[in-house]
Amino acid sequence: MGIGVSIFLLALGAILAFALNIDIAGIDVHVIGWILMAAGVIGLIMTALIWGRRRQVVAPAETVEYRSTEPVEYRREAPPL
């Protein structure tokens, strides 16, 4: 889940929990709102943890340069006829 989806779930859950006063048989809209808000908070925390790990700076490994002690010969080939 990304940040956008988490914020959407938080907003939708808050609307269902606090703004609506609907009675549906067998469904408690306020509980569904609280569940959506909890899912949004968990999504934000998980996204922050995952992004925090991605942004860690890792020191590059030491590069080793190999040099040959033999002289390098450059050959020039004749162009094709």
Side-chain angles (χ1 to χ4, degrees):
M1 225 184 336
I3 293 176
V5 175
S6 299
I7 292 173
F8 175 75
L9 287 177
L10 276 169
L12 183 62
I15 290 170
L16 290 176
F18 304 122
L20 294 180
N21 192 9
I22 298 175
D23 292 329
I24 301 174
I27 297 175
D28 191 358
V29 177
H30 301 289
V31 172
I32 293 174
W34 282 103
I35 291 171
L36 289 176
M37 285 193 297
V41 168
I42 291 171
L44 278 175
I45 292 170
M46 295 300 291
T47 302
L49 290 176
I50 291 171
W51 278 18
R53 288 183 183 161
R54 285 185 188 171
R55 294 183 182 189
Q56 286 180 351
V57 178
V58 177
E62 184 179 327
T63 57
V64 178
E65 188 175 322
Y66 295 101
R67 292 189 181 190
S68 175
T69 57
E70 300 175 10
V72 177
E73 293 181 20
Y74 295 101
R75 285 193 252 170
R76 194 176 224 185
E77 295 185 17
L81 295 174

